[in-house]
Amino acid sequence: MVTTPSGSPYLSRAPAAEPRPAVQHQESLRDTIESVVVAFILAFVFRAFVVEAFVIPTGSMASTLYGEHWTHNCSMCGYEFAVGANRGQSGKLALPHASLPCPNCNWEDPVQVSRDDVESGDRILVLKWPLDLSHIFPALGPKRWDVTVFKDPKDGETNFIKRLVGLPEEVFMIIDGDVFVAKAQQLPAELISRLEVIQELNYQARQARNVPETRALRARMDQMRPGVIRDLRPYLRIQRKTGPSQEALWSVVYDHAHPSRRQRPERGGRSWWQAEPSSGWSVGPGLVSFDGLQQPPSELAFVGKSLEDDHAYNVGLPAESAQARSVTDLRVRFTLFPAGGDGQLRVRLRKFDDTFVASFDADGTVLLSRVRQEQPGGMEVLGRAHLRSLQRGQPLRIEVQNVDYRVLVRVDGREILATTDEQYRPDLAKLLADRWRPARSGERPAEVALSAQRLRMEIKHLAIERDVYYRSPRIQGSLTGGNPWADLPGWGTEENPIYLRSGEYFMLGDNSPASEDGRLWSIVGDHLRSRGPDYQVGTVPEDQLIGKAFFVYWPSGYRPTHVRWGLIPNVGRMRWIH
């Protein structure tokens, strides 16, 4: 220790080394380059094996995911909806030629969009690593109803995104818009053998040298299919969607929060919700009320609007068919504000010949019943629950739905009643053969109605929604044009079930009328053609799967003035994908 003249201590030091600025600069530059290279490697590894970003170009998954589109607000009811943009084969953006029909009120606005107004498709994140580890941990493998990215079987390079609906080792079939499967392990060996013969004939048709040979092979398949479908019926089971995926697949039929101005009584219009005069029901903008403390049962029915699978997004898009299909899987939801009385509110849903009623008594009793004319009182009680009594100032959020042959009742987000498979299941013989025929002229396949007695109440946020309806189209093209399956029933559809072998998956788009998915594929890329009969047209092999889409991180953004691109993120539309 040395002391300075002032007495302050300090440590003695060795003489400082001469600075080497050139060497230090080189080392700093090397460290920077190494950091950049490592960052690129980590980014590449992350993109290749963990998460990758994709852009949705088309509307085959609308409304779950949007491709390029315009956003339009209905001039009559104010409802906002998306209209798909079509670039066609040339890649040039085409404007819709038809008017823009509102999915809520059916009003048709003139086309008032320009090419500069088009919004980009959703940008999504896709989780890849679970598929890479699924051979070690099977629980991480693909699951039914996952929104999945995979390679297009047509070229092996283009990325497609659809919903995974069919799994290996099962027979897949769409019936009346719903998904049915039969597990291969439960089928008789003789039936599996016939399904394999049809697969072999399909492969031979792919290899056929001329049209007469193709026609002969098709005739053999046509002869076999009806018997196969008949023998499959006892083994087919409907596949119900998961809660989150079902929520994503609801589409609006009518939202009373956006009533049409032309339907308001004060303007001489007539609401789609109709009741008898002096019934106690009143329908106003955004509000439905019932004032009938002394009133006998009185019904408010939803009439005048078709319950169909048409999609406003598809205006101007090439769709499989302009002919809409009736949809019978429906949900009605609303918030009930009780205001007095000792009576009852009922929600009635009819699907074909089956009518279900959910009743909510003032004392808190909830019943789920089925209309049975042969039963005392004409009703068969399927389930009973108890809530708090209906009291002023204590609103209830109510949902009643009939979807995938299961009727359920939710109150305040909690499922309180639901049918079992023993109580309610599809009649496949009738669905595949006789179809539904109305008992009365003008009767629709599905109905929605509310009824009430001895109550005073208000209903807000009233909405009717429909489930996705998977169509059963025929494969497009022509025999003479080189498509051996032209005009055959689509793969996996009502007249053409498909047997998915080990490692084969089946995909459908949520926007069924405008989705080119497994039902319609007919071109096989070289990367799959080389596999011979080991590749089945209409399916996606396991090694062509990329990952599961899980988040929309950049929906079409807001645009600053005079800027064509959405530079400001629309945080409100960022969402998880189900």
Side-chain angles (χ1 to χ4, degrees), residues 504-519:
E504 293 181 335
Y505 295 85
F506 198 79
M507 307 287 179
L508 292 176
D510 291 354
N511 184 2
S512 193
S515 176
E516 184 181 341
D517 48 40
R519 303 166 301 165

Side-chain angles (χ1 to χ4, degrees), residues 42-195:
L42 290 176
F44 175 79
V45 171
F46 189 81
R47 178 181 181 274
F49 300 105
V50 184
V51 173
E52 186 173 355
F54 292 87
V55 180
I56 305 299
T58 67
S60 68
M61 284 294 292
S63 299
T64 305
L65 298 169
Y66 289 132
E68 282 190 303
H69 64 282
W70 291 277
T71 299
H72 180 72
N73 286 85
C74 175
S75 65
M76 191 59 65
C77 71
Y79 188 80
E80 181 181 281
F81 59 97
V83 178
N86 177 27
R87 290 194 177 272
Q89 296 293 332
S90 66
K92 183 179 179 181
L93 194 64
L95 296 177
H97 296 295
S99 55
L100 303 179
C102 175
N104 180 57
C105 75
N106 282 4
W107 178 256
E108 296 189 6
D109 278 330
V111 175
Q112 294 178 333
V113 295
S114 70
R115 291 180 175 86
D116 291 340
D117 295 330
V118 71
E119 300 179 34
S120 62
D122 289 332
R123 296 177 181 269
I124 65 170
L125 296 177
V126 174
L127 204 58
K128 304 171 77 171
W129 67 266
L131 291 184
D132 296 329
L133 297 179
S134 61
H135 294 290
I136 304 173
F137 305 103
L140 297 176
K143 296 178 178 60
R144 199 186 319 275
W145 308 118
D146 283 353
V147 177
T148 304
V149 176
F150 56 95
K151 292 298 182 183
D152 179 4
K154 186 164 53 180
D155 58 25
E157 296 180 1
T158 306
N159 296 317
F160 267 17
I161 183 166
K162 309 289 180 192
R163 193 174 294 275
L164 192 156
V165 292
L167 297 169
E169 302 297 342
E170 66 185 26
V171 181
F172 176 92
M173 191 173 181
I174 297 170
I175 302 175
D176 190 38
D178 291 324
V179 169
F180 288 78
V181 305
K183 298 298 182 183
Q185 62 188 13
Q186 298 173 355
L187 298 178
E190 183 273 337
L191 183 52
I192 291 288
S193 177
R194 281 189 283 160
L195 287 163

Side-chain angles (χ1 to χ4, degrees), residues 16 29 47 59 76 130 166 182 262 366 384 386 469 484 489 495 514 516:
L29 180 61
R47 178 181 181 274
M76 191 59 65
R262 62 178 177 151
V366 183
R384 183 188 304 265
H386 294 278
Y469 184 96
E495 300 177 71
E516 184 181 341

